[in-house]
Amino acid sequence: MNAPVRLGAFAAVLAVAFGLAFGAGRLVGPDAVAETRPAGDGHAGGDHGTPSGPQTGAYAFRLDPYTGGRLSFRITGSDGRAVTAFETLHEKPLHLIVVRRDLSGFQHVHPVMDATGTWQVPLALADGGPWRAYADFTATGGPATVLAADLTVPGEHRSEPLPAPATTTVVDGYTVRLDLHDGVTFRVERDGRPVTDLQPYLGAPGHLVAIAQQDLTYLHVHPTGAGLAFAVEGAGPGVHRLYLQFQHGGAVHTAEFTVTGFGGGHAHN
């Protein structure tokens, strides 16, 4: 998803990696007002849409307290009833991204909905303190939507400083190299050789999430082609944490980087 949306007091601008654009909304306490994207953009990686206008009150994100090991929530409509019919996009009816507010934690998971409209997902958040949850979905007959809500995890909390900026990281035995010229490009190597047989993950060669340290601006995009090259419209100056997800050997791997600004990008607040 390549175009922005503002979310709450932390101005979390969303261009979530399923290739869609968003509109604007605000959080009210633990619940979120709908952030909508124009219909018809689809989830194709590399698409660029424009933000729709605010549509407040269409849906709400009702997040239950996190008690450890499992998270549950509901998506409700303007009538307060749980929404139970959703489109399948990128192989799932709903995508949930959870990130710790100091950006030291990140998860992309896929809850399962029961007959009452309650979504549940196993979620191991070992570190206490504040986290942020983003729900991405399209209700049947409705607009593509992203909602966000704060999540407090019981337990001791210590804010962790971000690692220093770097262009190389190692994850699960893979060396991942970052190039910030003309967008964002990654090269994956193993045992000193390029990996050329990445497997599709949720219908895409890879997923890139970028979150700004200062205001939690959030960008999620798909590759613009068959490789791991990403356009980063919506990302601007300042420190960001990058989370690249790719699949190889039947497993999903997440490579993380700290960067300062993006070449040619601009911020949306």
Side-chain angles (χ1 to χ4, degrees):
M1 300 175 183
N2 303 47
V5 66
R6 179 183 299 236
L7 288 181
F10 292 89
V13 178
L14 297 184
V16 177
F18 315 116
L20 297 170
F22 309 125
R26 285 188 176 276
L27 293 177
V28 181
D31 302 326
V33 181
E35 321 297 319
T36 60
R37 298 161 295 204
D41 278 354
H43 270 112
D47 290 350
H48 292 271
T50 55
S52 66
Q55 297 189 23
T56 59
Y59 303 101
F61 186 14
R62 310 285 181 178
L63 191 63
D64 293 336
Y66 178 76
T67 57
R70 181 168 294 273
L71 185 68
S72 62
F73 60 90
R74 291 164 302 286
I75 305 298
T76 60
S78 57
D79 58 1
R81 297 181 179 179
V83 179
T84 58
F86 295 83
E87 303 289 345
T88 297
L89 295 174
H90 268 262
E91 303 179 359
K92 300 292 180 180
L94 186 144
H95 299 260
L96 186 74
I97 291 177
V98 182
V99 61
R100 188 174 171 181
R101 281 197 173 275
D102 64 6
L103 307 185
S104 63
F106 171 88
Q107 294 195 42
H108 177 179
V109 296
H110 302 101
V112 175
M113 186 187 70
D114 66 18
T116 69
T118 296
W119 296 85
Q120 295 191 49
V121 63
L123 194 64
L125 302 177
D127 297 325
W131 293 67
R132 185 78 154 170
Y134 301 89
D136 174 44
F137 62 92
T138 296
T140 301
T145 301
V146 169
L147 305 180
D150 291 332
L151 173 63
T152 300
V153 177
E156 183 180 355
H157 166 63
R158 291 189 301 175
S159 182
E160 299 288 342
L162 287 180
T167 57
T168 302
T169 191
V170 177
V171 56
D172 303 331
Y174 296 86
T175 298
V176 184
R177 303 185 188 278
L178 166 66
D179 186 344
L180 288 174
H181 295 91
D182 192 25
V184 177
T185 302
F186 298 92
R187 298 193 312 275
V188 180
E189 302 173 358
R190 192 171 193 183
D191 299 326
R193 299 179 179 180
V195 175
T196 59
D197 58 344
L198 292 177
Q199 300 160 330
Y201 172 49
L202 297 174
H207 297 259
L208 176 64
V209 170
I211 303 180
Q213 183 183 45
Q214 181 177 1
D215 59 8
L216 294 191
T217 295
Y218 176 109
L219 181 74
H220 190 171
V221 289
H222 279 159
T224 56
L228 293 177
F230 300 83
V232 288
E233 287 189 6
V239 177
H240 289 69
R241 190 68 169 164
L242 306 187
Y243 308 89
L244 169 71
Q245 292 191 288
F246 62 93
Q247 183 165 262
H248 189 254
V252 176
H253 311 279
T254 303
E256 302 184 15
F257 294 84
T258 301
V259 301
T260 303
F262 292 91
H266 57 280
H268 295 271
N269 292 315

